[in-house]
Amino acid sequence: MEQNNAEAGCGNVDTACTNDAPGAPCRRRTGVRRAQTQSEFAETLRRARAVDPGLAHLLCLIRLLGLRPVEALRCVRELADWLVLLRIGVQYLRLPRGVGTSRPRRIEIIDPLREDTIRAIEAALEHCETHDGKLIAGADHKTQRNRLRALLQSARISGELSSQSLRHAYAVSLSNALMDAGASPEQARERVFASVGQGLRAHMFLDTYLREIGERSHEVPRAPGAAGTGSVREEPFDWGVILFTR
């Protein structure tokens, strides 16, 4: 009976309820993605703009607000309200429906990049005004998502420097900004957790999103071979030249 119970998963949950028990491979995120540097982001935007200007605007929203690609598609209707709030100095923007949990969440603004965020939203709204209110063309949301995947592939935005790596860059920038302003590493982590909608999966989050800033605290481990903070904290490039000029 004991053997049957163990085989049915009724034994110790620490040993029975794992991927290894049924022979499933363990999904490891460490090293799969990393934060794009400013120079890499500039090149990403150049390729995106050559394929579809709307894609470049969408990627800017991902980088500056930590959105998932699908969230960036959905947020078009929120942009005008967000712009007003940013201009009056609000620190958090409300995303009505996040992907994964389908619950609202608050997006924290990277304060040193507030003006860049305002310019990115202004440019995205200007694009939408001449493109049927959309960043990515499509008769419905499913069509837009399929087109977005195709555009990302055409622009060679995949692998280590996929659109997800822009969420990593947002997390690093926000964490650095918060700690520069006096927040403890623990406080910064909690605020970044909430802003990107990752809940409390601390080990996965630290091993991926924040591994580039490990030197700032022994509590934020740096993955083997990860880039140091210098590669992430470059001087800002000229957003106007890259994106906001016709």
Side-chain angles (χ1 to χ4, degrees):
M1 179 64 70
E2 291 181 1
Q3 181 179 3
N4 290 338
N5 285 341
E7 291 175 352
C10 296
N12 188 324
V13 295
D14 292 332
T15 57
C17 299
T18 66
N19 285 341
D20 294 334
C26 180
R27 184 182 182 188
R28 302 189 186 280
R29 294 174 178 258
T30 302
V32 176
R33 303 284 187 272
R34 64 172 174 82
Q36 288 196 25
T37 65
Q38 293 287 54
S39 59
E40 288 169 337
F41 183 41
E43 178 57 30
T44 294
L45 289 184
R46 288 191 183 96
R47 293 201 308 272
R49 187 173 178 82
V51 171
D52 187 315
L55 177 61
H57 291 294
L58 183 140
L59 293 176
C60 273
L61 296 178
I62 294 173
R63 170 63 180 87
L64 291 166
L65 297 172
L67 300 169
R68 297 176 176 89
V70 173
E71 293 169 343
L73 278 177
R74 290 175 178 169
C75 79
V76 170
R77 68 189 68 179
E78 313 297 331
L79 292 180
D81 290 339
W82 286 356
L83 185 58
V84 172
L85 293 172
L86 283 169
R87 285 172 173 165
I88 63 175
V90 168
Q91 189 62 28
Y92 293 91
L93 301 176
R94 185 178 184 274
L95 183 68
R97 181 187 173 195
V99 172
T101 63
S102 294
R103 294 194 299 267
R105 77 169 187 268
R106 295 197 312 167
I107 299 168
E108 186 159 5
I109 299 303
I110 304 168
D111 208 52
L113 298 181
R114 177 179 295 272
E115 291 304 316
D116 291 326
T117 306
I118 288 173
R119 294 186 69 195
I121 292 179
E122 288 174 339
L125 284 169
E126 182 180 345
H127 176 88
C128 290
E129 286 176 1
T130 57
H131 291 80
D132 196 27
K134 301 170 184 175
L135 290 175
I136 304 297
D140 53 35
H141 185 65
K142 181 179 180 180
T143 305
Q144 288 177 297
R145 289 182 64 175
N146 290 338
R147 177 169 171 76
L148 174 58
R149 282 193 290 267
L151 290 173
L152 289 170
Q153 184 175 3
S154 296
R156 306 189 311 282
I157 300 171
S158 60
E160 185 180 41
L161 298 180
S162 69
S163 60
Q164 179 70 8
S165 70
L166 299 179
R167 274 170 48 84
H168 290 231
Y170 164 85
V172 169
S173 293
L174 178 58
S175 185
N176 276 326
L178 293 174
M179 287 190 284
D180 288 346
S184 69
E186 183 177 13
Q187 291 169 333
R189 284 201 312 272
E190 290 177 356
R191 288 164 69 173
V192 174
F193 286 159
S195 197
V196 297
Q198 287 292 349
L200 296 175
R201 293 180 290 173
H203 291 295
M204 179 277 287
F205 194 92
L206 295 176
D207 285 345
T208 55
Y209 284 75
L210 299 180
R211 64 192 175 100
E212 279 88 352
I213 59 171
E215 293 95 343
R216 299 205 70 176
S217 169
H218 67 278
E219 296 178 287
V220 184
R222 177 177 168 185
T229 57
S231 65
V232 176
R233 304 183 69 180
E234 298 177 355
E235 289 298 317
F237 56 80
D238 189 340
W239 288 67
V241 171
I242 299 300
L243 182 62
F244 305 122
T245 56
R246 293 185 179 279

